[in-house]
Amino acid sequence: MSKLLQLHDFGAPGGMSFDALRNSAASAGCSTKGGAGKSSCGSAAGPSDLPPDVWEKVKNHPCYSEQAHHHFARMHVAVAPACNIQCNYCNRKYDCANESRPGVVSEKLTPEQAARKVVAVASTIPQMTVLGIAGPGDALANPAKTFKTFELVTQTAPDIKLCLSTNGLMLPDYVEQIAAMNVDHVTITINMIDPEVGAKIYPWIFYDHRRITGVEASKILSERQLLGLEMLTARGILVKVNSVMIPGINDKHLIEVNKAVKSRGAFLHNIMPLISEAEHGTAFGLSGQRGPTAQELKALQDACEGEMNMMRHCRQCRADAVGLLGEDRSAEFTTEKVMAMDVEYDLAARQAYQAKVEAERDAIAAAKQREMQSLADETASIKIQVAIATRGGGVINEHFGHAHEFQIYEVSTAGAKFVGHRRVDLYCEGGYASDAGIEPILKALNDCTAVLVAKIGLCPKDSLAGAGIEAVETYAFEYIEQSVIAYFKDYLARVGKSEIRHVARGDADIRQGAFLAV
Ligand code: CLF
Ligand code: SF4
């Protein structure tokens, strides 16, 4: 049985079908508060889809705009170690699992160290446009450190967007301060709106000077989260809601969460897979609670996708992440290295660089548009997925053997859409490739018809072909979406001429939590 069918088989609350849930989620509409949650808004939106003031806020934020994540980087500073709740997927020895991949302990920083690090990164990586505070605990359980850091950064680097992530418990108390500091982007992790569901995720919260457990804890948490969301959107602050998908606990319930946050004006919903391994020492890891498969996650994201777009390009990054989403340059900016660096904040150079990126991005959008027009007469109902090897910039510029991840696009006559990524171990390490190395990659890309790469060797190309996946170098160093559409056109032509037969691909056999094939 396919994993997609298994998700349908889980059933839905109140006996509703998955499609019925999808329809009810889509028709809930957007709140008028804050002007967010409008049709076409969200991570895939472009300048023509959004009011100019909203576009200005998202156009170079790599998490709020899927387009932007190919070009712009973010950095986190780990200034917020404490937390005021306990999530069953978190072990306090590690980073906050809401916004970071557990397993790597961050270097904790003072606000002063953090501000210096921001300037150091900004002078080295001109495409770094966003500073996020996302743990390793909760940003608003450490308000003094969080706001002091923002204050210092605003003084020296006024063009950098400020972003924070919170579990929401203390959010209503700090909305005014957030607005006063011009923080335009806030993420709230909302895993439930039903405290009975919440009691299975949160053993306790610490609120109003006492530890509260059970359903009462989740009731307070949920009320505070939704109140905070409403207060932020009423002030025009863009809110992304993160939800951790926990199969058997809140997977079906997240459709209700999606409706609830959409109706309160959330801009974007990011449903992330539970990362749960026994070695992380979390309650879920130790109890054997599994994370979702790639197909289960995509089916839920598809079901929620209505008037509010879903974020599908999250990399669940760590609390001290630096770089483009999917790359990790944090080791270049340890406190020791930052203190030794000669840093200077050159605003003009940063703006010049970013102007170039904008021009390139316009060229990419125009090329995609041209390619789409050439699909206008196609009526085939075929839909395929295509994997891309890229190092960023919106271009197919990575060798197959050097790819740490593949970006996955779904393409049909309706166009090409980013639907996720698959992290893989390098096929080629230190110039050597092993036969065993291809197997996990084949599993990870098993639902793809083709992989578009800058270059690939004969051996892996043959292995991919044996698994029914076409490796294509034709579009090396071309724009991604334009190439995906061009490949699809060619694919349809070959199917039409009976040169190849279209077959529905199977599921990608990957463990979604770590995005690695097993
Ligand atoms: Fe950081 Fe989060 Fe801001 Fe982005 S991350 S605080 S909104 S700047 Fe982005 Fe990382 Fe996913 Fe977070 S990819 S974990 S969604
Ligand atoms: Fe851990 Fe973050 Fe949950 Fe706090 S909010 S318990 S730091 S995952």
Side-chain angles (χ1 to χ4, degrees):
M1 186 195 306
S2 79
K3 288 167 184 156
L4 180 60
L5 282 175
Q6 284 174 30
L7 185 60
H8 281 274
D9 285 353
F10 287 155
M16 289 172 85
S17 71
F18 213 67
D19 282 346
L21 278 174
R22 184 223 310 263
N23 291 339
S24 81
S27 65
C30 304
S31 164
T32 52
K33 289 174 190 160
K38 292 184 179 69
S39 176
S40 295
C41 74
S43 71
S48 56
D49 303 315
L50 297 167
D53 60 323
V54 177
W55 174 245
E56 272 309 306
K57 287 178 184 169
V58 303
K59 70 176 187 183
N60 61 2
H61 193 308
C63 303
Y64 281 67
S65 162
E66 190 275 311
Q67 280 181 20
H69 102 280
H70 296 284
H71 308 281
F72 293 105
R74 54 74 187 99
M75 69 175 291
H76 290 163
V77 286
V79 294
C83 193
N84 45 13
I85 69 172
Q86 179 64 55
C87 306
N88 277 335
Y89 47 76
C90 178
N91 178 343
R92 295 293 169 77
K93 278 196 290 188
Y94 300 110
D95 293 344
C96 172
N98 286 334
E99 281 276 321
S100 55
R101 172 169 49 87
V104 186
V105 180
S106 307
E107 193 182 26
K108 313 288 189 299
L109 301 179
T110 64
E112 290 72 20
Q113 288 170 326
R116 183 174 170 86
K117 181 173 177 176
V118 171
V119 176
V121 173
S123 11
T124 315
I125 308 177
Q127 66 271 44
M128 191 280 287
T129 49
V130 176
L131 165 67
I133 296 183
D138 183 79
L140 297 180
N142 303 264
K145 290 176 182 158
T146 295
F147 291 117
K148 182 68 184 172
T149 303
F150 282 157
E151 185 190 320
L152 293 173
V153 169
T154 303
Q155 284 165 9
T156 48
D159 64 318
I160 289 182
K161 289 186 192 310
L162 306 177
C163 189
L164 75 81
S165 169
T166 176
N167 60 40
L169 182 62
M170 297 312 296
L171 182 56
D173 295 7
Y174 293 105
V175 166
E176 289 310 330
Q177 207 167 339
I178 288 169
M181 298 211 78
N182 292 324
V183 178
D184 281 335
H185 304 82
V186 174
T187 294
I188 315 171
T189 297
I190 302 182
N191 294 321
M192 54 84 205
I193 51 168
D194 176 352
E196 298 285 343
V197 175
K200 297 175 191 159
I201 303 171
Y202 304 105
W204 56 260
I205 66 171
F206 192 84
Y207 180 65
D208 202 16
H209 309 291
R210 65 191 176 107
R211 182 177 291 232
I212 304 165
T213 59
V215 172
E216 187 193 354
S218 288
K219 184 168 182 296
I220 293 168
L221 179 62
S222 178
E223 285 170 359
R224 300 278 294 170
Q225 289 173 334
L226 296 179
L227 174 62
L229 167 59
E230 288 179 353
M231 291 171 74
L232 288 169
T233 57
R235 284 159 181 77
I237 294 169
L238 298 184
V239 181
K240 170 167 70 63
V241 170
N242 280 3
S243 299
V244 181
M245 180 182 183
I246 311 164
I249 291 187
N250 73 345
D251 45 355
K252 289 166 297 192
H253 179 61
L254 285 180
I255 299 251
E256 300 302 318
V257 171
N258 178 266
K259 279 195 284 185
V261 301
K262 185 190 298 180
S263 68
R264 287 169 175 80
F267 181 74
L268 200 56
H269 193 186
N270 173 25
I271 298 182
M272 312 182 294
L274 171 72
I275 297 175
S276 175
E277 302 296 337
E279 59 264 33
H280 295 156
T282 64
F284 281 152
L286 294 171
S287 72
Q289 171 65 50
R290 73 172 179 91
T293 66
Q295 279 63 44
E296 287 170 343
L297 180 68
K298 182 173 181 298
L300 180 58
Q301 289 170 333
D302 288 349
C304 288
E305 191 164 61
E307 293 164 47
M308 182 174 68
N309 276 3
M310 305 301 293
M311 178 181 184
R312 298 173 191 253
H313 59 282
C314 175
R315 302 301 200 276
Q316 294 178 280
C317 36
R318 19 187 289 179
D320 59 358
V322 175
L324 292 173
L325 303 192
E327 76 174 0
D328 183 8
R329 298 183 60 176
S330 55
E332 294 171 43
F333 300 98
T334 60
T335 302
E336 198 185 338
K337 287 180 183 166
V338 164
M339 288 305 167
M341 283 168 83
D342 196 9
V343 298
E344 188 190 341
Y345 199 75
D346 188 341
L347 182 59
R350 284 173 53 76
Q351 286 172 333
Y353 181 89
Q354 290 173 25
K356 266 200 237 165
V357 172
E358 285 304 323
E360 179 77 358
R361 190 163 148 169
D362 289 347
I364 290 173
K368 178 186 175 186
Q369 200 51 40
R370 280 196 303 277
E371 206 64 50
M372 270 309 291
Q373 280 163 3
S374 70
L375 256 187
D377 295 333
E378 291 288 354
T379 54
S381 58
I382 290 174
K383 187 188 278 187
I384 60 172
Q385 288 191 169
V386 176
I388 303 294
T390 177
R391 275 183 280 120
V395 175
I396 300 165
N397 54 5
E398 185 62 289
H399 291 215
F400 178 83
H402 300 165
H404 287 277
E405 68 167 36
F406 292 92
Q407 298 190 354
I408 310 297
Y409 284 76
E410 187 174 78
V411 57
S412 67
T413 51
K417 176 168 91 168
F418 180 100
V419 292
H421 70 285
R422 308 280 162 75
R423 220 172 258 170
V424 294
D425 288 331
L426 279 186
Y427 172 68
C428 184
E429 193 99 66
Y432 290 98
S434 72
D435 286 348
I438 193 72
E439 283 305 320
I441 300 178
L442 295 181
K443 286 182 178 179
L445 304 185
N446 189 39
D447 53 354
C448 297
T449 299
V451 54
L452 311 190
V453 297
K455 194 140 194 62
I456 185 168
L458 276 180
C459 277
K461 191 170 186 172
D462 286 348
S463 300
L464 285 159
I469 304 166
E470 186 176 20
V472 183
E473 293 170 294
T474 315
Y475 306 101
F477 303 101
E478 302 284 342
Y479 297 141
I480 294 173
E481 289 183 314
Q482 178 190 25
S483 302
V484 169
I485 296 166
Y487 172 80
F488 180 63
K489 235 171 33 182
D490 179 59
Y491 181 82
L492 289 182
R494 287 185 287 152
V495 170
K497 287 189 258 173
S498 300
E499 290 174 10
I500 55 171
R501 196 164 57 87
H502 171 66
V503 286
R505 301 287 304 163
D507 292 341
D509 187 9
I510 66 168
R511 183 165 45 84
Q512 185 69 22
F515 294 96
L516 283 173
V518 286

